[in-house]
Amino acid sequence: MSKITYVSSKGVSQTVDVLDGDSIMEGAVQNNIDGIVGACGGCLQCATCHVYVDEAFLPKFDEIEPEEEVMLASTAAERRPNSRLSCQLRVRPEFAGCIVTMPDSQ
Ligand code: FES
């Protein structure tokens, strides 16, 4: 279980416990956090789980796979250097305290 903080595009933050092994998208959906939709359930088909990862945590996550790279090209909001699809970010103990910011649209 790791604490993950989700920050809305308006700056409102919520910190919740997410099970290790679950994705950051699943943590948001299970905790009713607005701003992450996860319409495809994590199959890399929708890009509605786009987040901006806090720069300090970015190197801790696995690198972007080609399939995620393709979907990141179709996000509704601006893609930034710290953009990731949160369904691809599986929580591990070293991610405790991670902060992700949701874009203003998905
Ligand atoms: Fe659909 Fe992440 S939930 S791409």
Side-chain angles (χ1 to χ4, degrees):
M1 194 83 86
S2 299
K3 292 211 179 296
I4 304 293
T5 297
Y6 298 83
V7 182
S8 77
S9 61
K10 302 207 181 324
V12 178
S13 73
Q14 291 175 270
T15 300
V16 299
D17 289 318
V18 180
L19 283 175
D20 293 330
D22 279 1
S23 70
I24 287 183
M25 177 276 285
E26 290 168 324
V29 170
Q30 288 162 8
N31 287 284
N32 299 314
I33 291 176
D34 287 335
I36 293 178
V37 179
C40 77
C43 308
L44 278 176
Q45 298 292 313
C46 69
T48 62
C49 60
H50 180 203
V51 295
Y52 303 119
V53 177
D54 184 275
E55 303 281 353
F57 286 88
L58 206 50
K60 298 184 181 215
F61 289 100
D62 294 333
E63 288 188 16
I64 299 174
E65 296 287 337
E67 297 83 2
E68 182 182 353
E69 190 70 46
V70 167
M71 291 308 292
L72 278 167
S74 61
T75 54
E78 168 198 14
R79 181 180 177 179
R80 299 177 188 165
N82 60 338
S83 285
R84 293 298 304 262
L85 296 181
S86 60
C87 67
Q88 301 303 299
L89 304 176
R90 295 269 162 208
V91 172
R92 299 196 295 254
E94 62 263 38
F95 303 156
C98 181
I99 302 167
V100 296
T101 300
M102 282 87 77
D104 56 7
S105 59
Q106 290 284 6

